[in-house]
Amino acid sequence: MKDPNKKTTAAKKIKTVRQTRPGWDAYFINIAKAVSERATCLRRRYGAVITKNHVIVSTGYNGAPAGMKDCLDAAKCTRKELQIPHGERYELCHSVHAEANAIIRASADELSGATIYISGADAGSGECLSEPCMMCKRMILNAGIAKVVHSDGEGGFYAITPKDWLKTRV
């Protein structure tokens, strides 16, 4: 016989499933991947995210300077037409690099001790190694950025202390 004073519910006990979440580096490198989707380069699309104390202070992607027609709109890439390999003859490129765009949008205080995340993809072939070029390495050093995290081209990433670049000529 049921106790008339005891209330019953039809609710089922739900098993709690613990979710895992990415670490800070994986989280921000994924945001850099999303930022790269705004890039206007026909060869490679890069995105950069600068953070300080786990807060985004700036983002940037590679594309033409403000007011200049970009490669997507022109449907033309000078370096591609001249068959110039990646990493060579940057002076012929019309784009500003993602790292540079992110750096120029942040204050000196925000950059000092910050982390920059960089992710890139080749047009048509997916994620690529996204180590900063020599010019961007010099800007990162001058900005006082303390850590660089960039895509390894295989779904992972590398974390680097920029001061380590000073061991060799940059």
Side-chain angles (χ1 to χ4, degrees):
M1 178 183 232
K2 288 187 179 180
D3 181 354
N5 295 325
K6 188 175 181 182
K7 293 182 179 180
T8 59
T9 62
K12 293 181 180 180
K13 186 175 182 176
I14 297 172
K15 188 176 183 180
T16 303
V17 177
R18 181 166 170 78
Q19 286 186 334
T20 58
R21 60 187 193 157
W24 288 111
D25 287 345
Y27 173 69
F28 288 121
I29 202 79
N30 284 329
I31 293 173
K33 287 178 188 178
V35 170
S36 74
E37 293 176 19
R38 289 282 306 153
T40 61
C41 179
L42 294 172
R43 294 177 91 178
R44 282 192 170 168
R45 302 166 71 92
Y46 284 94
V49 174
I50 298 175
T51 68
K52 190 162 185 178
N53 300 321
H54 306 301
V55 175
I56 295 173
V57 298
S58 184
T59 65
Y61 52 86
N62 58 319
M68 180 185 271
K69 194 172 190 178
D70 62 55
C71 296
L72 284 178
D73 289 338
K76 175 182 174 173
C77 172
T78 303
R79 292 176 66 234
K80 189 174 184 176
E81 287 177 352
L82 296 174
Q83 299 179 345
I84 297 169
H86 290 292
E88 295 180 18
R89 306 286 314 270
Y90 285 127
E91 74 275 8
L92 297 175
C93 181
H94 297 280
S95 288
V96 177
H97 289 190
E99 302 94 321
N101 275 324
I103 288 169
I104 63 174
R105 302 271 183 226
S107 72
D109 288 340
E110 290 170 322
L111 294 170
S112 181
T115 300
I116 188 168
Y117 296 87
I118 308 158
S119 181
D122 279 320
S125 63
E127 186 179 349
C128 63
L129 177 65
S130 302
E131 181 178 3
C133 71
M134 290 299 199
M135 178 180 62
C136 288
K137 284 180 179 180
R138 291 189 294 266
M139 284 189 284
I140 289 166
L141 284 164
N142 270 0
I145 292 173
K147 181 179 173 183
V148 175
V149 179
H150 67 83
S151 299
D152 67 1
E154 298 175 359
F157 53 85
Y158 295 111
I160 301 158
T161 301
K163 288 186 179 181
D164 289 344
W165 293 330
L166 298 173
K167 294 175 184 172
T168 59
R169 188 169 170 89
V170 176

